[in-house]
Amino acid sequence: MATQAPPRPTGGNTSRPRRLRDELRELTLRLHFYVGLFIAPFLLVAAATGILYALTPQIEQVVYDKELHASAPAGTEMVPLAQQIEAAQSEVTDGTITQIRPPKDSESTTRVTFDSPSAREDRQLTAFVDPYTGEVTGVLNTFGEWLPLRTWFDDLHRNLHLGDAGRWYSEVAASWLWVLALSGLIIWVTRKVRARTARAYLLPQRKGPQRQRSMSLHATIGVWAAIGLFFLSATGLTWSQFAGGNFSALRQSLSWSTPYLSSEAATTTPVAEAEVPATAQSVLDVARVEGLTDPVAITPSTDGGAWVVSQVQRSWPLKQDSMAIDPASGTVVETVRFADWPVAGKLAEAGISFHMGILFGWLNQLLLIAIAGAVITLIVIGYRMWWRRRPKPPRTGLPTAPGRRVDTTAAYGILIAIAAVVGLALPLLGVTLATFIAFDLARKMLLSARAEHPSV
């Protein structure tokens, strides 16, 4: 007698147990979704302010035309540097000179920077001198070499003009940017597609449902922008409040730090403020003989130390040679050549200049604007996809996350271990990642409770 096949189950979970790899992918998918949902506003602000910052070189040329540009009549020679410095001293009478920048080309003015009680808090006063007439063309509050406009945009990008508290926003954005890029790549590459061709990964889908086309466009933009996103994240973190200190400590421990000269390289008779102009002229003459070409910055020492003359060209090719000079004898007591910097120091210098949009001029600026524009586009598409599948009344509760439930504790354990390790180097990333894990576990327990007790 033939036996009857057992009936198929009509309910419950009939699928085979999934592999850990599959569950890790589902967890990565939800991580990408939730982080994109809640961190995207930080990234949007960082991208928008980054575009503004990238455009400042051209804007400054217009806004500060009088201060930046010299009058250069045909055949006119520049007046001695000492005379230019004296003109600056007569304009800023209550300051102490901290840096002198001779004109970098025939169309630029000389900059003389002062520590002065008349300057704004945490700023200095810089007098701009026409090298052909010896007249001061203007005095501005500056931060290092940055003029007021760039300083304002820089503060907006770094901390939203909120000080140290505002720096948390930029550090969160920089910490998560590379995670979002990496998780997006993992999700896109590991998805199941019939034809695993380059076009399927690199070009957006033009046919099919609206959601699939939006997801394909979102993913392919992310693929093309991924290298730029990784780079901006890494270089941005070097300026961050918490992770930046960890990066600096790591570079020091590996002898990757940027070498700098100290004024303590020589001990001589202190130079009086009245003698600074003539001494600056003689120190610059020595540096020229030793091969330091423009642009350079002269850092005087009025307490008996050596004077430092450094090249300050941050565009390609980089010029970063520097030397310490005894102002009394004119002897070069120490020299650091850019060619002798550690490779990591050179890469860091070039990377920071690229992040600031000054390494390759306007081409660098266009590339930064394109990457920032890609970030904004990714955010807009991502929010649009979420909005179309958001919970609708009368349904309430947590945002609908993609991916299936993760039933094994191993996947969560791996993510917790990653959070612990990453948190040592990137504290804000570790804290927010731990928050995600707690949120997703709470969501899982809530959904399980609802499934067991539908009336709750």
Side-chain angles (χ1 to χ4, degrees):
M1 186 175 68
T3 59
Q4 186 177 3
R8 292 183 178 181
T10 58
N13 185 4
T14 62
S15 61
R16 291 177 299 176
R18 288 182 295 157
R19 292 176 295 180
L20 177 61
R21 183 182 65 184
D22 298 326
E23 297 217 335
L24 284 174
R25 186 183 186 280
E26 302 295 341
L27 201 54
T28 302
L29 183 61
R30 287 216 297 281
L31 173 67
H32 187 82
F33 168 78
Y34 280 123
V35 172
L37 186 63
F38 296 115
I39 302 298
F42 296 89
L43 294 173
L44 187 63
V45 172
T49 57
I51 290 176
L52 293 175
Y53 183 85
L55 293 173
T56 52
Q58 285 75 22
I59 301 175
E60 282 182 331
Q61 295 300 311
V62 176
V63 174
Y64 304 112
D65 176 71
K66 180 171 67 74
E67 289 83 2
L68 295 176
H69 300 135
S71 60
T76 303
E77 294 185 357
M78 295 184 182
V79 301
L81 179 63
Q83 183 178 331
Q84 300 176 50
I85 300 172
E86 289 171 352
Q89 287 177 315
S90 64
E91 187 73 23
V92 183
T93 58
D94 61 349
T96 301
I97 295 178
T98 59
Q99 190 178 83
I100 303 157
R101 292 198 177 206
K104 62 182 180 180
D105 53 44
S106 61
E107 298 178 352
S108 301
T109 52
T110 297
R111 302 186 186 190
V112 183
T113 302
F114 298 82
D115 274 339
S116 169
S118 301
R120 288 176 47 199
E121 184 180 1
D122 77 356
R123 298 290 188 267
Q124 296 174 305
L125 289 182
T126 295
F128 297 81
V129 184
D130 189 321
Y132 299 97
T133 64
E135 296 178 353
V136 175
T137 61
V139 178
L140 298 174
N141 281 274
T142 56
F143 182 77
E145 63 181 291
W146 305 131
L147 305 185
L149 182 67
R150 183 185 289 267
T151 303
W152 193 89
F153 280 131
D154 180 61
D155 285 342
L156 180 67
H157 183 61
R158 288 193 304 135
N159 57 39
L160 300 179
H161 295 280
L162 298 175
D164 289 340
R167 293 180 65 184
W168 292 15
Y169 116 84
S170 58
E171 184 163 353
V172 167
S175 297
W176 277 106
L177 183 58
W178 70 271
V179 179
L180 281 171
L182 180 60
S183 60
L185 286 175
I186 292 173
I187 294 166
W188 189 239
V189 171
T190 58
R191 83 194 202 284
K192 296 180 180 179
V193 293
R194 293 181 179 180
R196 291 183 177 270
T197 62
R199 190 193 186 289
Y201 292 105
L202 299 177
L203 297 177
Q205 180 179 327
R206 290 178 292 182
K207 298 180 180 179
Q210 174 66 42
R211 176 170 174 75
Q212 289 185 8
R213 286 185 284 120
S214 296
M215 188 178 300
S216 175
L217 179 62
H218 179 86
T220 51
I221 291 175
V223 169
W224 285 102
I227 294 178
L229 300 181
F230 288 136
F231 179 83
L232 290 182
S233 177
T235 53
L237 285 170
T238 60
W239 287 301
S240 62
Q241 187 171 8
F242 300 107
N246 293 335
F247 278 114
S248 297
L250 176 63
R251 289 179 60 189
Q252 289 179 359
S253 65
L254 297 175
S255 299
W256 288 353
S257 298
T258 302
Y260 291 104
L261 290 175
S262 170
S263 62
E264 298 177 358
T267 302
T268 62
T269 304
V271 176
E273 191 72 15
E275 299 174 355
V276 167
T279 305
Q281 181 76 70
S282 62
V283 166
L284 179 62
D285 292 340
V286 172
R288 297 288 195 226
V289 172
E290 295 295 328
L292 255 62
T293 57
D294 288 325
V296 298
I298 305 168
T299 304
S301 173
T302 56
D303 60 359
W307 286 39
V308 176
V309 183
S310 304
Q311 291 179 315
V312 289
Q313 179 168 308
R314 304 189 67 173
S315 58
W316 192 265
L318 295 168
K319 292 183 180 180
Q320 297 290 311
D321 292 354
S322 59
M323 56 184 58
I325 301 173
D326 185 331
S329 64
T331 303
V332 177
V333 295
E334 188 178 356
T335 300
V336 173
R337 300 289 181 182
F338 184 63
D340 298 327
W341 284 25
V343 174
K346 293 179 180 178
L347 292 176
E349 185 70 20
I352 291 173
S353 295
F354 185 92
H355 190 114
M356 296 168 63
I358 58 178
L359 186 61
F360 298 116
W362 62 266
L363 182 62
N364 195 161
Q365 294 173 277
L366 289 178
L367 189 54
L368 287 178
I369 292 172
I371 296 173
V375 172
I376 294 173
T377 304
L378 288 169
I379 292 171
V380 171
I381 296 174
Y383 272 126
R384 183 175 182 272
M385 289 190 295
W386 167 75
W387 185 257
R388 293 175 64 90
R389 70 192 304 268
R390 72 191 187 284
K392 298 179 177 62
R395 179 183 176 187
T396 59
L398 302 172
T400 303
R404 299 166 60 186
R405 288 174 54 190
V406 177
D407 298 318
T408 63
T409 57
Y412 284 106
I414 292 174
L415 195 58
I416 291 172
I418 293 174
V421 173
V422 171
L424 295 176
L426 310 175
L428 289 186
L429 176 59
V431 170
T432 47
L433 179 56
T435 302
F436 159 76
I437 297 171
F439 179 84
D440 201 62
L441 284 171
R443 176 180 178 274
K444 175 184 176 182
M445 291 187 291
L446 179 60
L447 293 176
S448 298
R450 287 180 177 177
E452 294 177 4
H453 306 283
S455 60
V456 177

